[in-house]
Amino acid sequence: QALAVAAALRFAGVAPGDAVGIQLGKGYRQVIATLGVYAAGAVWIPVSADQPAARRTAILQTGECALLLTDGVIDPESVDVPILKLADALVAQPLSGPHLPDPEDVAYVLFTSGSTGVPKGVEVPHRAAMNTIDDVNARFGIGRDDRSLTVAALEFDISVYDIFGLYSAGGAVIAVGADDAKDPEAWRDLLVEHRASVLTCVPSALDMLLTLAETGDGTGLGDSLRAVLLGGDWVGADLPGRLAVLAPGARFAGLGGATEIAIHGTVCEVSQPPAHWTSVPFGTPLNNVACRVVSELGTDCPDWVTGELWVGGDGVAHGYRNEPQRTAERFVQFEGRRWYRTGDLARYWPDGTVEFLGRADNQVKIRGFRVELGEIEGALRTVDAVRHAVAVLLTGNGPATLAAVVAPETGVTLQPDALRVELERLLPAYMIPA
């Protein structure tokens, strides 16, 4: 099926190296579409199914997409590129085999929130993604008997490991469908029924699964899980112990990184964290990856001293698509190696562990997605009658929540529900303040 999609893309004029947008509801069809774009030698650019039209246009334009692969529910008049329906692509005569790319060719472009109000696209080459996949597969012994539950959205880079990590080892993918995308009980049922052995997700998703299993009908998490790999956000120190009660023997690891470091850059495997830990640290670099904690003077910080985390080596992305200035600001050369300046605050422990301490700017994480508070504020200020707006991330005992304070024009009363309706035209759902 993937080779049929690849053939249809070729017939539509997509050449190796061209970019193809993928806007499909979550599920197995996303996997087929992604593999089809890959087999054609093209670059895949995921676009969430609920992406507002204006933001989708910005992504397709900045990404220089030659075509949009969809399920046919999008109005062709709403996009400026040709549309190919997946159902039509699947009836094409399949290619005899996939196009084999150069490792430095761009594999995918993932768009993250931009402080200027315009999303920015990270160009990740095959080399960088495979560096992470090879390390994780070897470290956790991933093989043909393993199955991964695909909780992550396609536009979130954990999905790259869910698909290519398992398939490259001969394993299987359990595809969560669109109807179940936000339902932890459905995830648990799929995990138990299809005997998932690997779970890769953001910490909040695991927390919901554990809470369900701890307070539910006694089903628990079954007995198939052997590795749980978390990334994309703070990893609470309570999670390893709670998992051990429900899935004894399952290995637990927090992985740190950013989209610009191809899925993950560091790893910290732990079973019972020390009592004084409030979160699981980033850990130590993956194979062929290096870390620096850098002071404002550009020097390496001593142990326990806070600085900006730089990550270098084979996992580093090419840069930002069609944004040379921003690329030059964040991707730098030092002592013969290319580094990505993460904007994360971190410090080294004496044993070589890197601890994440927060952000040095207005970028936050919400359910694994990177969000620039400035993009939310900019969207709010485009609404008539809004004079000013400030977005914040509220943290406490539960999951983090986005919120906003809005100042109206003189004499105007603003209703939160009306503001949310306006924002739904401008922002994806995960960026709309509660």
Side-chain angles (χ1 to χ4, degrees):
Q1 288 180 314
L3 290 170
V5 172
L9 291 171
R10 288 281 181 84
F11 183 78
V14 174
D18 287 348
V20 174
I22 298 176
Q23 188 168 29
L24 293 159
K26 187 167 174 56
Y28 74 94
R29 295 179 306 158
Q30 282 187 337
V31 178
I32 295 170
T34 303
L35 291 174
V37 175
Y38 168 82
V43 177
W44 72 92
I45 299 183
V47 183
S48 64
D50 63 350
Q51 194 71 256
R55 205 168 188 270
R56 178 180 62 212
T57 297
I59 290 172
L60 296 177
Q61 290 178 346
T62 304
E64 296 182 332
C65 289
L67 182 145
L68 181 62
L69 190 57
T70 78
D71 53 11
V73 299
I74 296 171
D75 179 6
E77 299 295 323
S78 67
V79 295
D80 295 328
V81 300
I83 285 180
L84 175 63
K85 296 180 182 179
L86 181 63
D88 295 338
L90 288 171
V91 300
Q93 181 65 32
L95 295 183
S96 59
H99 172 87
L100 299 180
D102 184 283
E104 286 301 321
D105 289 347
V106 176
Y108 58 89
V109 179
L110 292 188
F111 278 82
T112 64
S113 179
S115 58
T116 61
V118 178
K120 59 181 184 287
V122 181
E123 293 185 321
V124 180
H126 294 276
R127 171 260 307 159
M130 279 309 301
N131 187 72
T132 299
I133 288 169
D134 284 342
D135 182 293
V136 173
N137 279 0
R139 192 180 298 266
F140 294 95
I142 306 300
R144 60 187 300 173
D145 295 328
D146 283 301
R147 295 181 176 188
S148 173
L149 184 67
T150 63
V151 174
L154 188 64
E155 58 273 17
F156 186 34
D157 57 2
I158 284 179
S159 69
V160 178
Y161 179 78
D162 277 335
I163 298 172
F164 291 91
L166 272 290
Y167 284 159
S168 67
V173 173
I174 303 167
V176 176
D179 293 341
D180 299 329
K182 298 180 180 180
D183 183 357
E185 187 168 359
W187 306 344
R188 192 273 309 274
D189 292 345
L190 289 168
L191 187 156
V192 173
E193 178 184 355
H194 298 290
R195 300 190 59 77
S197 57
V198 180
L199 175 63
T200 57
C201 63
V202 295
S204 57
L206 178 63
D207 180 59
M208 288 188 284
L209 268 174
L210 293 176
T211 301
L212 174 70
E214 290 161 346
T215 60
D217 56 9
T219 303
L221 295 178
D223 60 0
S224 60
L225 270 181
R226 68 174 195 84
V228 174
L229 314 176
L230 301 186
D233 210 341
W234 291 82
V235 179
D238 65 310
L239 295 177
R242 293 169 62 194
L243 176 70
V245 172
L246 293 161
R251 296 170 66 181
F252 179 101
L255 295 113
T259 306
E260 291 87 345
I261 314 168
I263 316 172
H264 305 298
T266 60
V267 60
C268 181
E269 184 172 353
V270 62
S271 53
Q272 289 293 339
H276 65 276
W277 281 17
T278 57
S279 63
V280 176
F282 269 11
T284 54
L286 299 181
N287 290 334
N288 309 312
V289 174
C291 291
R292 295 182 70 205
V293 176
V294 183
S295 73
E296 292 181 353
L297 299 176
T299 59
D300 288 279
C301 293
D303 293 343
W304 299 117
V305 175
T306 300
E308 182 187 15
L309 179 63
W310 291 19
V311 181
D314 289 352
V316 177
H318 280 172
Y320 299 111
R321 196 164 184 85
N322 294 319
E323 294 197 65
Q325 182 176 346
R326 180 177 274 169
T327 298
E329 291 170 355
R330 285 295 185 181
F331 294 84
V332 298
Q333 292 287 334
F334 178 76
E335 294 186 346
R337 191 194 295 265
R338 192 162 178 269
W339 299 81
Y340 168 62
R341 299 181 55 185
T342 67
D344 291 333
L345 297 177
R347 64 184 180 183
Y348 260 114
W349 294 354
D351 65 359
T353 297
V354 176
E355 179 186 8
F356 172 64
L357 299 172
R359 291 289 302 177
D361 53 23
N362 284 327
Q363 189 182 99
V364 300
K365 285 284 186 74
I366 185 78
R367 297 193 299 279
F369 289 99
R370 235 168 37 176
V371 173
E372 292 280 1
L373 295 178
E375 184 172 1
I376 298 173
E377 293 165 355
L380 281 165
R381 285 194 290 268
T382 66
V383 178
D384 289 341
V386 171
R387 179 166 54 87
H388 193 58
V390 176
V392 295
L393 185 72
L394 302 180
T395 58
N397 295 327
T401 303
L402 285 169
V405 181
V406 178
E409 296 290 357
T410 304
V412 176
T413 300
L414 292 173
Q415 298 297 331
D417 288 345
L419 282 174
R420 288 192 190 95
V421 170
E422 291 289 329
L423 288 182
E424 286 171 357
R425 299 188 297 103
L426 304 168
L427 300 172
Y430 65 86
M431 289 180 63
I432 297 176

